[in-house]
Amino acid sequence: MELRDVEICLGIQFPELFHTINNSGMMDYLRHSREWIEDKIANDMNYVW
């Protein structure tokens, strides 16, 4: 779900800064389950080692 979709569903408007942050990819982890994130962190740590 895109940030604009959330705004429409909730009937609100986020500040433009939220959209800038979202468009930069910094909030992409919110689209995944906790398990996916934990696996990603574990895999990234294994790659570093």
Side-chain angles (χ1 to χ4, degrees):
M1 182 177 279
E2 296 295 322
L3 196 54
R4 296 269 182 223
D5 297 331
V6 173
E7 290 178 322
I8 292 168
C9 287
L10 297 177
I12 61 171
Q13 185 173 358
F14 292 111
E16 194 55 41
L17 177 60
F18 282 42
H19 291 278
T20 302
I21 292 169
N22 186 53
N23 292 338
S24 74
M26 291 176 62
M27 295 173 54
D28 286 350
Y29 73 93
L30 295 173
R31 298 178 186 198
H32 301 286
S33 68
R34 180 180 180 99
E35 293 80 19
W36 184 92
I37 294 169
E38 289 171 350
D39 288 344
K40 174 98 171 99
I41 291 169
N43 288 337
D44 287 351
M45 290 187 77
N46 287 335
Y47 177 75
V48 170
W49 288 106

